[in-house]
Amino acid sequence: MTRRRSVNLDAMKIAVVGYPNVGKSSLVNRLTQSREAVVHERAGVTRDRKELTTEWNGRVLTLIDTGGVDLEDRDELAVLVQEQAKAALADADVALLVVDARGGLRPGDLEIADILRRGTLPVVVAANKIDSVRDLALTAEFQSLGFGDPIAVSAAQGLGTGDLLDELAALAPEADAAAGDSDAPDPVRLAVIGRPNVGKSSLVNRFLGADRVIVSPRAGTTRDAVDLPFNYRDREFILIDTAGLRRQAKVGDSIEYYTALRSQRAAERADVALVVCDANEGITTQDLRIGELAMKSGCATALVLNKWDIATDVDLEHERARVHQKLRLRPRVLTVSALTGRHLERLLAESLALADRSRGRIPTPQLNNFLSEVVAARQPPAKQGHRLKLIFMTQTEEGPPRFSIQVNSRSRVTRDYAYFLENRLRERYRLEGIPLVIDFVERNQRRPGPAREERSRRAAARVDASAGDSDAAVA
């Protein structure tokens, strides 16, 4: 199993704040050498706080990307974005104020600077959009903000970013060399995915016990996949809040396309995906598509009927039967209420169990006992008078699990019997919703070494040479 890097909770946190459309997300991507933060020419794309970690000169830095702050904008969503930016400052060790050097000093910059002066955080000013040496003079007017000399940078070109990282790293403690050598288990990456407006962000906030991400009745509020660390039962989790996934035909613009793409990638890097559905609507065709997408991404999956406290006309057993009929991996269907917290503990316990079962290894003796019971319950198929024999079974990989069954002939394995084995395996070891692979390997099929390959090649050449002289050789 590939070890994933854990979120470094001891890194110095830097809140990246500024007026809308000054290039904060572009700068965060440049400083962390990633493309994680959503970037678009339209102002107001970033809404939630997103934390990205980088290392510079032996110091570990966590940059908190925030939405643009315009104190004159009193729209409900804009106010929520402002509150998220203030929360980022409250959680940070340093404030990085990003300004648009080409746009000049704006009243909005002065208002944000006034808020920062009233705080206790050290402040570094980055004058962005300095794309050539000729533009350096544009930084001079930002000295009036009172935070020392601004550092000229270009998020687009990368100019000055080394100087900016030097300034930030000088404020950070040295990285702990032993931090990455811990024997603690990898964190469980739990992605919360689903259609727009089904309550994903509300559920995330309920998990965390705080209003960490923006919740609004307006569909499409969440624009990015946000990683949020928390602990449950002494285990480290990385909770991933995602944007809503609509049918491809209904994706309207480039922002929605890229946010949907990030949601899909969140499933690809998750251990467990919770597909959140609206209990009032039941499990829709799009919910089933999203569940299939999550399982094809290789993560364990469960479908979650949210808003269970107000659902009045839902037949839970019917929904479960429909899911088992439509989705081959037969994920579990659970209920929860993000509003009241009902069944929340059970949902977290099930998520942890899914991750552990996906990463776990089943002993070989148990698997061979299971194989004997399966054969006794249903005889393997026969072709032309020769019956399939299941000889030996073992697990070869985990996270997700992969199994190998030694057989006398692969050609006698039918799809129907393979599905029968897979379903019995899920039932026995509670692997519902967990992607698994069963390889059927012939008894005499071995991976040849170089010497064996050479002998096989020479033998094949001799057969080819004699094929024209004797029908027996061909036979």
Side-chain angles (χ1 to χ4, degrees), residues 268-325:
E268 291 171 2
R269 60 191 174 91
D271 300 302
V272 179
L274 298 179
V275 180
V276 182
C277 317
D278 189 332
N280 293 297
E281 301 175 16
I283 296 174
T284 67
T285 302
Q286 179 64 2
D287 294 329
L288 293 172
R289 287 195 188 102
I290 296 171
E292 188 71 32
L293 168 71
M295 288 180 283
K296 284 182 177 178
S297 299
C299 61
T301 304
L303 274 68
V304 180
L305 287 168
N306 188 28
K307 309 179 185 179
W308 191 247
D309 53 316
I310 58 174
T312 57
D313 190 26
V314 181
D315 185 343
L316 184 57
E317 291 307 315
H318 170 75
E319 296 295 337
R320 285 173 172 161
R322 182 165 175 263
V323 167
H324 286 185
Q325 181 187 11

Side-chain angles (χ1 to χ4, degrees), residues 48 192 200-201 204 213 222 224-228 239-243:
D48 290 302
V192 181
K200 298 183 298 298
S201 295
V204 166
V213 292
T222 303
D224 211 343
V226 182
D227 290 17
L228 306 163
L239 192 60
I240 310 173
D241 185 29
T242 64

Side-chain angles (χ1 to χ4, degrees), residues 205-281:
N205 284 339
R206 177 63 71 168
F207 280 145
L208 299 172
D211 292 336
R212 178 58 180 80
V213 292
I214 293 174
V215 175
S216 171
R218 193 181 306 176
T221 298
T222 303
R223 290 270 177 81
D224 211 343
V226 182
D227 290 17
L228 306 163
F230 78 106
N231 287 313
Y232 171 72
R233 292 185 179 177
D234 297 326
R235 290 284 296 274
E236 184 182 349
F237 277 74
I238 306 296
L239 192 60
I240 310 173
D241 185 29
T242 64
L245 289 167
R246 297 201 298 166
R247 289 178 56 192
Q248 191 68 28
K250 293 187 176 182
V251 174
D253 57 18
S254 59
I255 292 179
E256 190 172 4
Y257 170 78
Y258 286 112
T259 56
L261 190 61
R262 279 173 165 80
S263 296
Q264 294 174 26
R265 288 177 178 170
E268 291 171 2
R269 60 191 174 91
D271 300 302
V272 179
L274 298 179
V275 180
V276 182
C277 317
D278 189 332
N280 293 297
E281 301 175 16

